[in-house]
Amino acid sequence: SFPTRRSSDLVRMMGIRRWLLALLPLLFAFSAEAQEQTLQKAKRYLDASKGLQIEYQLTIGEDSEQGSYYALGEDFCLESPSIRAWHQGGNLWVYIPQNGEVNLTQPYKEDLLELNPLLNLNRISAKTFNLKESTTGAVTTIKATPKQKEEIEWLEVHLNSQCEPLSMRVKQRSVSVPIVLKVTKLRQSATAQMKQKGFFRFDANKLPGVAVIDLR
């Protein structure tokens, strides 16, 4: 009877194993779906259709600075000590005080992501990234790793209990340390200034004597 019992146990264990193997893809699918839902909630906070105001602290290694980002639809304006940028009508003006000139271009999406790393969140999905979600206290962390090799090695976003972005860490292959962006204020609204014509365009009167280099 012993060989028969051992054979029966083996058959039962093989059956359980097949059941688990069949179930695992479903578990991962449910997990990915839940993470996708969390991401979608977070992405809603970056909707600029009615206006978006973000104040942040950007840190790369030992260098850190405060900045502000204003957006309305596809138009935006960025202000920080090291760079100022205006984007409207497909044109991008970038002023770097150290260079003392304004470069005018028609940018690629990647160029816009470099100006505001938080916007990387909009392109993260379970289709192109492996997602891992964890929760510590009231903070949820989603780590995204590209399924195919690209400039970003990994991205990590921290969300509060309402899925509002608190901070983001981005590791690029071309940069030895992660880029850390901490959101100090996020408001989905437009100020009266943002609604004024020309707010999102470079105004030469505000930077007299600065040359504009047209690279379009």
Side-chain angles (χ1 to χ4, degrees):
S1 61
F2 178 75
T4 303
R5 185 168 64 250
R6 183 179 181 185
S7 176
S8 176
D9 290 343
L10 181 60
V11 170
R12 186 173 69 253
M13 290 300 296
M14 290 296 292
I16 292 174
R17 184 180 179 185
R18 283 196 297 269
W19 180 78
L20 286 173
L21 289 176
L23 182 62
L24 279 175
L26 295 177
L27 293 176
F28 283 121
F30 287 135
S31 177
E33 182 179 352
Q35 292 160 5
E36 192 74 48
Q37 290 176 352
T38 302
L39 281 173
Q40 290 303 323
K41 292 179 182 178
K43 290 176 182 180
R44 293 192 189 110
Y45 284 97
L46 300 181
D47 180 10
S49 58
K50 296 182 180 179
L52 181 64
Q53 304 171 57
I54 301 175
E55 294 181 9
Y56 62 88
Q57 179 178 350
L58 184 67
T59 303
I60 305 177
E62 297 181 355
D63 299 323
S64 183
E65 67 178 22
Q66 306 287 331
S68 301
Y69 177 88
Y70 307 93
L72 185 58
E74 297 294 324
D75 302 335
F76 70 81
C77 172
L78 182 146
E79 298 177 355
S80 73
S82 64
I83 187 172
R84 296 176 65 183
W86 303 262
H87 179 263
Q88 187 176 54
N91 291 321
L92 174 67
W93 295 263
V94 176
Y95 171 62
I96 299 178
Q98 185 177 354
N99 297 343
E101 62 185 31
V102 173
N103 288 331
L104 172 57
T105 62
Q106 291 183 330
Y108 294 102
K109 288 184 179 180
E110 291 78 6
D111 301 325
L112 304 182
L113 293 176
E114 289 183 3
L115 289 173
N116 184 2
L118 191 63
L119 297 181
N120 280 284
L121 182 61
N122 282 325
R123 70 187 193 89
I124 303 300
S125 73
K127 292 182 179 180
T128 54
F129 284 78
N130 292 313
L131 305 177
K132 183 179 180 181
E133 182 175 335
S134 59
T135 301
T136 303
V139 177
T140 296
T141 299
I142 294 182
K143 186 168 185 177
T145 306
K147 293 182 178 180
Q148 295 184 351
K149 186 175 180 180
E150 60 169 81
E151 172 57 19
I152 290 181
E153 287 189 40
W154 52 263
L155 179 151
E156 194 175 80
V157 60
H158 305 277
L159 313 170
N160 65 13
S161 56
Q162 285 76 45
C163 293
E164 180 179 357
L166 299 174
S167 63
M168 175 178 285
R169 298 172 69 229
V170 182
K171 178 61 177 69
Q172 298 179 333
R173 296 185 184 278
S174 58
V175 183
S176 60
V177 294
I179 299 170
V180 181
L181 187 145
K182 180 181 179 181
V183 178
T184 56
K185 180 180 178 180
L186 192 154
R187 182 177 297 171
Q188 287 182 297
S189 63
T191 65
Q193 285 184 319
M194 291 169 62
K195 296 178 182 179
Q196 292 179 359
K197 184 178 180 180
F199 179 83
F200 296 104
R201 293 180 63 88
F202 167 68
D203 185 353
N205 294 323
K206 294 181 180 180
L207 293 172
V210 173
V212 177
I213 312 300
D214 193 337
L215 302 175
R216 292 175 295 178

